[in-house]
């Protein structure tokens, strides 16, 4: 893979989107660098910020069902492979439920790579042929342990995150951890999809079992193979403004099946949907994905041998996967698991976020969404009432040191968006720990984080036992103990839920999906994209 600097794009609703230029686009104004310095750089013209989510999840749901007899080894050879996790840190696998089942987490990545002639023709950015790709689609597919429901969490491509250190498995090149936050879509250029996996795990604390990455050509070929995907708009739309920006999508009001390049246009469209932001585009992609899932389920047998053969060929050619999914049989086995979930139990969401200039960052609601996924809580709210988890399953394999030997830094994170910091909380809680025998507990007034809930963080596996012992001594629940590279030792952050007193009372868990996640049910056939009046026609 050719390495080069990574171009980023402005996420504001009124900003030109190079991802929606037509193939003959010749102009492009200054763009903002996604690097840590924030300098201005000359953009790559015609950069396509495409979303591949719908097609990739469709591949997962259908897999290559029934294609095992079709030149099996040839199909296996079509599938490209890459390392699952390029980071140094690992996230523990979830604890099995009472039946011995564990959830599955698959990271779906959409690459804007132009590494083939076909991709270049579809992408239109000829001068970027062979350049470093961006992970312009990132969404986590969570299959519950009991296989009763599925949750999907999309992360906007311009989310600001810290990319951890990653090592390229091909040439051994080490990409240092980012200094400060950069756009999440840059992670793919730090050695491959395994760095995108590492970035997700660092941010969310969710163990990722597999990744599936799909490219440009996969969108068109898969939509053609299934005969089109129904989509809906609430008014006539033409995604093209006076400067030529837009995907070119032109549809009449109502529901229409789209395939081929028209499907590609739908997935790319930003100008014309709602406020013209990247978030509106993600919403349109969720609708497309839900519809494609229903089409695939209704036609899962694909009785025509020709259609089946074509679908198997196109699906395997479009994919890059981790070694755990590198054969037709493995993909088929995974698709069998995913097809157990009815559309009514599929919930698609966007990571709750807020604008930071032209970019976005996760909010407190995002952490609630991540926690629900970590704890295998259905986002549709239809889980049966669960019994309290057995505390024995939460005990770390790492033994704790003696209380008096555990060094603990205590920080005051009680400030919120609406309330000022509660004074003296770090000192008060540090003194409380000393009274309990943690002689090396000290207040750290130099760092003033913001935390909705009180948490204990630790940087490495050999300190997990110490961190859990500190939490236990204060009555902090085990799920508030998190591994993080943001700390150098065991660190207790006193959150906004503990602004006073010396007895910590954990808040009741809020297990409802935040409204800001804009959940869409997979069975909703009435969903329709709102068209911006500036992009309608009569």
């Amino acid at each position: 893979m050719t390495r080069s600097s990574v171009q980023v794009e402005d996420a504001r609703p009124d900003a030109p989107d190079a991802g929606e230029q037509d193939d003959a686009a010749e102009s492009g104004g200054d763009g903002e660098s996604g690097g840590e310095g924030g300098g201005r750089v000359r953009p790559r013209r015609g950069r396509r910020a495409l979303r591949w989510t719908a097609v990739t999840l469709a591949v997962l749901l259908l897999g290559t069902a029934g294609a095992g007899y079709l030149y099996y080894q040839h199909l296996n050879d079509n599938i490209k492979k890459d390392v699952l996790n390029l980071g140094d840190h690992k996230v523990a696998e979830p604890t099995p439920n009472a039946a011995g089942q564990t959830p599955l987490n698959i990271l779906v990545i959409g690459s804007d790579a132009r590494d083939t002639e076909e991709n270049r023709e579809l992408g239109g950015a000829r001068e970027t042929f062979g350049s470093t790709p961006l992970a312009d689609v990132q969404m986590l597919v969570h299959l519950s342990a009991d296989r009763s429901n599925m949750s999907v969490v999309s992360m906007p491509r311009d989310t600001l995150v810290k990319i951890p250190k990653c090592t390229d498995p091909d040439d051994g090149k080490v990409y240092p951890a980012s200094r400060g936050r950069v756009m999440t879509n840059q992670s793919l250029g730090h050695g491959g999809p395994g760095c995108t996996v590492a970035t997700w795990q660092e941010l969310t604390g969710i163990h990722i079992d597999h990744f599936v990455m799909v490219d440009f050509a996969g969108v068109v070929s898969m939509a053609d193979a299934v005969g089109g995907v129904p989509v809906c708009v609430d008014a006539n739309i033409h995604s093209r403004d006076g400067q030529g920006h837009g995907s070119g999508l032109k549809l009449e009001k109502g529901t229409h099946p789209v395939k081929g390049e028209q499907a590609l246009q739908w997935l790319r469209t930003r100008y014309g949907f709602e406020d013209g932001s990247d978030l509106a585009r993600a919403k349109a992609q969720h609708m497309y994905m839900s519809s494609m899932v229903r089409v695939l389920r209704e036609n899962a047998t694909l009785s025509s041998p020709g259609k089946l053969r074509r679908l198997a060929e196109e699906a395997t050619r479009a994919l890059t996967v981790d070694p755990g999914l590198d054969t037709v049989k493995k993909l088929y086995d995974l698709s069998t698991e995913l097809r157990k979930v009815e559309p009514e139990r599929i919930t698609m969401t966007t990571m709750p976020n807020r604008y930071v200039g032209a970019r976005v960052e996760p909010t407190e609601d995002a952490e609630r969404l991540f926690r629900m996924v970590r704890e295998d809580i259905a986002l549709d709210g239809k889980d049966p009432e669960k019994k309290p988890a057995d505390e024995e399953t939460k005990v770390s394999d790492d033994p704790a040191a003696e209380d008096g030997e555990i060094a603990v830094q205590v920080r005051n994170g009680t400030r919120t968006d609406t309330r000022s910091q509660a004074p003296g909380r770090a000192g008060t809680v540090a003194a409380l720990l000393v009274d309990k025998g943690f002689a090396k507990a000290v207040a750290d007034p130099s760092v003033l984080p913001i935390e909705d809930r009180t948490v204990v963080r630790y940087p490495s596996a050999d300190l997990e036992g110490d961190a859990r012992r500190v939490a236990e001594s204060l009555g902090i629940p085990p799920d508030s103990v998190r591994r993080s590279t943001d700390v150098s030792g065991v660190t207790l952050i006193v959150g906004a839920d503990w602004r006073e007193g010396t007895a910590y009372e954990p808040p009741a868990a809020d297990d409802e999906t935040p409204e800001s996640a804009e959940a869409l049910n997979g069975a909703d056939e009435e969903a329709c994209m709102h068209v911006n009046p500036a992009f309608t026609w009569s």
Side-chain angles (χ1 to χ4, degrees):
M1 180 183 297
T2 302
R3 309 294 177 192
S4 64
S5 60
V6 178
Q7 172 69 27
V8 301
E9 299 176 55
D10 200 328
R12 292 169 294 185
D14 59 349
D17 187 346
E20 293 187 337
Q21 303 298 319
D22 60 36
D23 289 348
E26 292 293 333
S27 64
D30 289 342
E32 182 179 355
S33 168
E36 294 148 16
R40 308 290 288 187
V41 299
R42 186 175 181 178
R44 294 196 180 101
R45 291 174 295 181
R47 168 67 72 184
R48 303 299 179 118
L50 302 185
R51 302 280 183 161
W52 314 105
T53 329
V55 171
T56 308
L57 184 59
V59 171
L60 289 177
L61 285 167
L62 183 60
T64 48
Y69 64 93
L70 296 174
Y71 47 97
Y72 180 79
Q73 190 55 52
H74 167 71
L75 293 179
N76 285 345
D77 291 341
N78 281 347
I79 302 169
K80 296 176 285 293
K81 300 92 176 172
D82 216 323
V83 178
L84 175 61
N85 185 354
L86 303 186
D88 292 339
H89 302 131
K90 312 300 179 186
V91 173
E93 296 183 19
T95 303
N97 62 16
Q101 302 165 301
T102 54
L104 272 175
N105 295 306
I106 304 104
L107 186 63
V108 174
I109 302 169
S111 166
D112 74 344
R114 293 163 184 80
D115 51 2
T116 68
E117 291 295 335
E118 184 179 11
N119 279 329
R120 185 172 71 169
E121 288 303 313
L122 291 170
R126 292 169 176 81
E127 68 275 19
T128 63
F129 184 71
S131 63
T132 303
L134 299 174
D136 272 344
V137 173
Q138 299 175 37
M139 81 169 24
L140 184 70
V141 178
H142 171 83
L143 179 63
S144 66
D146 63 5
R147 307 304 190 250
S148 67
N149 66 89
M150 186 189 302
S151 303
V152 180
V153 181
S154 295
M155 185 188 298
R157 62 174 180 171
D158 50 5
T159 301
L160 295 175
V161 298
K162 291 182 179 179
I163 299 177
K165 184 184 81 171
C166 293
T167 303
D168 190 320
D170 294 331
D171 57 15
K173 180 177 180 179
V174 175
Y175 293 83
S178 61
R179 297 191 306 271
R181 299 186 302 174
V182 298
M183 282 176 59
T184 184
N185 65 353
Q186 295 185 37
S187 59
L188 187 59
H190 288 224
C195 194
T196 306
V197 169
T199 302
W200 266 79
Q201 291 195 154
E202 289 282 342
L203 176 68
T204 66
I206 298 168
H207 174 80
I208 294 176
D209 300 282
H210 301 290
F211 76 80
V212 176
M213 184 167 70
V214 69
D215 62 12
F216 274 91
V219 174
V220 173
S221 61
M222 287 294 295
D224 285 349
V226 299
V229 176
V231 296
C232 177
V233 287
D234 67 358
N236 298 344
I237 182 174
H238 186 200
S239 178
R240 185 75 74 200
D241 67 10
Q243 288 72 48
H245 302 133
S247 70
L249 178 71
K250 189 171 185 179
L251 290 174
E252 294 182 353
K253 177 181 178 180
T255 301
H256 310 274
V258 294
K259 60 181 180 178
E261 293 196 49
Q262 195 173 45
L264 190 65
Q265 289 174 333
W266 176 275
L267 294 169
R268 291 169 48 211
T269 295
R270 168 174 149 186
Y271 290 92
F273 285 155
E274 300 188 350
D275 62 357
S277 72
D278 201 50
L279 304 178
R281 175 160 49 192
K283 185 175 179 180
Q285 291 157 2
H286 287 168
M287 291 183 183
Y288 180 98
M289 174 167 35
S290 297
S291 183
M292 183 173 241
V293 167
R294 292 192 296 270
V295 169
L296 287 170
R297 293 183 71 95
E298 291 167 3
N299 301 279
T301 57
L302 285 180
S303 56
S304 165
K307 285 187 176 181
L308 178 58
R309 185 184 185 95
R310 181 180 180 189
L311 182 59
E313 183 76 33
E314 299 295 350
T316 52
R317 285 180 57 217
L319 299 181
T320 301
V321 299
D322 67 274
L325 295 177
D326 63 357
T327 67
V328 170
K329 183 181 185 305
K330 291 175 182 178
L331 286 169
Y332 177 68
D333 289 345
L334 175 60
S335 72
T336 299
E337 292 294 291
L338 291 164
R339 286 201 309 274
K340 293 177 181 178
V341 181
E342 295 296 327
E344 292 80 5
R345 297 300 313 275
I346 298 174
T347 306
M348 300 174 190
T349 64
T350 298
M351 181 197 76
N353 60 83
R354 57 179 162 242
Y355 276 103
V356 181
R359 313 301 180 208
V360 299
E361 66 181 4
T363 63
E364 294 78 10
D365 281 353
E367 172 52 33
R368 191 204 311 179
L369 199 65
F370 297 152
R371 178 184 60 79
M372 292 176 69
V373 173
R374 288 195 302 269
E375 298 178 9
D376 198 23
I377 298 170
L379 298 188
D380 62 5
K382 297 179 181 178
D383 267 342
E385 186 172 349
K386 294 184 178 180
K387 297 179 181 179
D390 183 355
E391 290 300 317
E392 291 300 317
T393 65
K394 299 182 181 294
V395 175
S396 169
D397 293 333
D398 174 53
E402 295 295 325
D403 290 356
E405 297 300 317
I406 299 176
V408 188
Q409 287 190 333
V410 183
R411 297 173 178 171
N412 188 343
T414 56
R415 184 167 62 89
T416 70
D417 291 338
T418 58
R419 303 182 69 181
S420 60
Q421 183 188 73
R425 292 305 294 158
T428 298
V429 177
L432 176 62
L433 281 169
V434 171
D435 289 345
K436 290 179 175 291
F438 294 86
K440 294 185 177 181
V442 296
D444 178 9
S446 66
V447 181
L448 300 176
I450 299 176
E451 289 289 344
D452 185 47
R453 295 181 61 177
T454 298
V455 295
V456 180
R457 295 198 170 105
Y458 62 96
S460 55
D462 60 320
L463 292 177
E464 182 179 0
D466 293 355
R468 292 195 179 279
R469 172 63 192 135
V470 171
E472 178 187 24
S473 72
L474 296 173
I476 297 171
D479 63 7
S480 292
V481 180
R482 295 276 306 278
R483 182 169 172 171
S484 171
T485 56
D486 290 339
V487 298
S488 57
V490 176
T491 304
L492 168 63
I493 303 176
V494 184
D497 59 346
W498 196 10
R499 293 178 61 87
E500 59 185 23
T502 55
Y504 178 67
E505 297 182 5
D510 186 349
D511 292 344
E512 291 188 6
T513 301
E515 288 188 12
S516 55
E518 298 190 3
L520 175 68
N521 186 274
D524 185 357
E525 298 185 31
E526 303 301 319
C528 207
M529 282 304 296
H530 174 63
V531 175
N532 186 315
F535 290 85
T536 194
W537 54 277
S538 59

